[in-house]
């Protein structure tokens, strides 16, 4: 797998994401041309000076917060390029980081220009999210040699769920069931491994399945800001009471924006924004998880039909779009607490969760 063209492309994208985290410049090529980029969050002023300055590229969601989308004819959010918006990393961070909005209320005036290489710009936003960085870049037209380079197709190859494979499996007695088996899944280029916990004795009927996105704060630390930990344990016990079940534990912290950005969203919530608006102000989609990964895991486990335990009808639709037959949706009702009541109300009122 790793020697195939898709493998080479995925390795290119993985190296480029590593460069982003390290504050190194990179080039992304697409059908519409190529862009040289330097991630704002990880850049230094020295790196910016070597890069030669340039415009700033931000996500469409962040552009909405900055009221820049009315300068474009586009009707759907996409990356927005701001002309010569900042000459230092500090000035660029004031544009990119919503935590600095209150300290910098009078940004601009800004002038947006054509993004150029639209598919490369979109791939850059995907890479920023995958790297756990703010979706903002210094950007210029590609010039000279590039030490690190990838293409929009390389990014697609890295995220292709078909590259996911079973890496290991073992018996794992857990509190909810002593007959559980854990199965680990990985792709060659990524360090984060997804896991499935199969509970009970498999039969011909569809299992109870729960898609659970990793939540360090809730699952491990017992956070009261969300209901993730209680949902995880309630789901495991419900599976133990069924003939059999499968928990898919997906390494997609913070609805796919990563731990650091989730904590940034928490800080914005402390300023009064709900979980939806906090994600948008950061420059991310409200829902950035990849449900094709869950579908691939179920396929590798030989599970085509499921009874899905969720309060989110969108999960049903997304899995069915990926070819999984959801024969029943099972709600998961848990009590609220003073710290997560508003969070759960937001999920109900703004993202369609229901019992």
């Amino acid at each position: 797998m790793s020697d195939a063209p898709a493998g080479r492309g995925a390795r290119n994208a993985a190296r480029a994401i590593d460069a982003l985290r390290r504050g190194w410049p990179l080039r992304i090529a697409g059908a519409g041309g190529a862009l040289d980029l330097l991630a704002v969050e990880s850049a230094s002023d020295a790196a910016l000076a070597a890069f030669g300055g340039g415009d700033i590229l931000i996500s469409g969601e962040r552009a909405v917060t900055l009221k820049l989308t009315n300068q474009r004819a586009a009707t759907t959010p996409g990356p927005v390029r701001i002309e010569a918006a900042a000459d230092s990393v500090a000035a660029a961070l004031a544009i990119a980081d919503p935590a600095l909005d209150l300290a910098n209320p009078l940004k601009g005036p800004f002038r947006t220009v054509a993004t150029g290489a639209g598919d490369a710009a979109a791939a850059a936003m995907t890479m920023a999210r995958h790297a756990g960085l703010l979706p903002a870049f210094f950007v210029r037209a590609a010039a000279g040699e590039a030490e690190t380079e990838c293409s929009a197709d390389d990014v697609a190859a890295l995220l292709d769920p078909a590259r996911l494979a079973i890496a290991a499996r073992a018996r794992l007695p857990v509190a909810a069931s002593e007959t559980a088996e854990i199965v680990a899944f990985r792709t060659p280029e990524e360090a984060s491994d997804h896991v499935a916990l199969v509970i009970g004795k498999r039969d011909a009927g569809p299992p109870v399945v729960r898609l659970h996105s990793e939540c360090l704060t809730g699952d491990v630390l017992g956070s009261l800001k969300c209901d993730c930990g209680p949902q995880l344990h309630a789901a495991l016990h419900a599976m133990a009471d069924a003939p059999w079940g499968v928990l898919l534990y997906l390494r997609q912290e913070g609805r796919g924006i990563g731990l650091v950005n989730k904590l940034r969203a928490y800080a914005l919530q402390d300023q009064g924004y709900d979980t939806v608006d906090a994600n948008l102000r950061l420059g991310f989609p409200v829902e950035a998880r990849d449900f094709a990964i869950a579908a691939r895991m179920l396929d590798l486990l030989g599970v085509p039909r499921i009874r899905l335990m969720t309060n989110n009808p969108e999960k049903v639709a997304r899995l069915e779009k990926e070819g999984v037959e959801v024969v029943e949706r099972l709600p998961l009702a848990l009590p609220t607490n003073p710290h997560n009541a508003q969070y759960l109300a937001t999920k109900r009122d703004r993202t369609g969760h229901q019992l």
Side-chain angles (χ1 to χ4, degrees):
M1 176 185 294
S2 60
D3 291 329
R8 290 194 294 273
R11 289 197 300 276
N12 288 340
R15 284 193 292 267
I17 288 172
D18 181 64
L20 288 183
R21 293 194 184 102
R22 294 173 184 270
W24 297 344
L26 66 120
R27 179 170 298 165
I28 303 181
L35 298 173
D36 286 344
L37 300 165
L38 181 67
V40 168
E41 181 180 344
S42 57
S44 65
D45 282 327
L48 176 59
F51 186 74
D55 301 338
I56 290 180
L57 186 71
I58 60 175
S59 71
E61 291 84 359
R62 183 62 179 157
V64 169
T65 295
L66 298 178
K67 297 180 171 52
L68 292 174
T69 52
N70 60 355
Q71 296 186 26
R72 303 180 305 143
T75 57
T76 57
V80 172
R81 184 168 175 168
I82 311 171
E83 185 180 46
D87 57 4
S88 70
V89 173
L93 282 172
I95 296 169
D97 189 349
L100 304 176
D101 284 348
L102 293 179
N104 300 271
L106 300 176
K107 297 182 176 71
F110 296 128
R111 178 174 179 264
T112 63
V113 294
T115 302
D119 53 346
M125 297 303 150
T126 299
M127 292 171 68
R129 188 174 71 247
H130 210 63
L133 299 175
L134 292 167
F137 298 87
F138 296 102
V139 60
R140 68 184 186 198
E145 297 295 322
E147 184 173 339
T148 305
E149 186 171 2
C150 74
S151 70
D153 288 341
D154 292 340
V155 176
L158 178 67
L159 303 182
D160 183 359
R163 296 186 57 71
L164 198 68
I166 293 176
R169 59 199 310 161
R171 188 178 69 87
L172 183 68
V174 296
S177 171
E178 296 183 2
T179 62
E181 179 191 31
I182 189 167
V183 185
F185 304 78
R186 68 163 43 145
T187 59
E189 296 78 22
E190 296 194 90
S192 295
D193 301 327
H194 306 282
V195 299
L197 193 68
V198 182
I199 290 178
K201 185 175 181 180
R202 182 168 185 157
D203 61 22
V208 172
V209 171
R210 169 74 182 168
L211 274 58
H212 189 89
S213 298
E214 178 183 32
C215 178
L216 174 69
T217 50
D219 300 342
V220 179
L221 302 179
S223 168
L224 298 177
K225 286 180 67 71
C226 64
D227 58 346
C228 299
Q231 280 193 336
L232 172 62
H233 296 290
L236 290 174
H237 284 283
M239 292 173 192
D241 292 336
W244 71 299
V246 180
L247 173 81
L248 301 182
Y249 196 85
L250 306 171
R251 305 297 295 277
Q252 302 189 89
E253 181 90 43
R255 289 178 172 262
I257 67 174
L259 177 62
V260 171
N261 284 320
K262 183 179 84 167
L263 299 184
R264 288 173 170 147
Y266 279 0
L268 291 174
Q269 290 169 34
D270 289 339
Q271 295 179 18
Y273 298 102
D274 66 26
T275 184
V276 169
D277 287 334
N279 275 31
L280 294 174
R281 291 189 75 84
L282 280 165
F284 295 109
V286 176
E287 176 60 85
R289 289 175 290 186
D290 185 353
F291 291 98
I293 292 173
R296 170 65 173 168
M297 292 167 71
L298 290 171
D299 182 56
L300 290 170
L301 292 172
V303 179
R305 303 171 65 248
I306 66 172
R307 301 167 64 207
L308 185 63
M309 181 174 291
T310 183
N311 298 332
N312 184 2
E314 180 65 16
K315 277 188 180 179
V316 177
R318 295 282 292 274
L319 280 177
E320 289 181 333
K321 183 180 178 181
E322 299 296 335
V324 179
E325 182 182 353
V326 181
V327 300
E328 183 181 8
R329 183 180 74 85
L330 305 172
L332 186 58
L334 293 168
T336 63
N337 69 61
H339 300 279
N340 69 13
Q342 183 59 45
Y343 163 76
L344 296 176
T346 298
K347 289 208 296 185
R348 179 195 66 216
D349 298 338
R350 301 197 64 183
T351 59
H353 285 60
Q354 57 187 252
L355 296 178

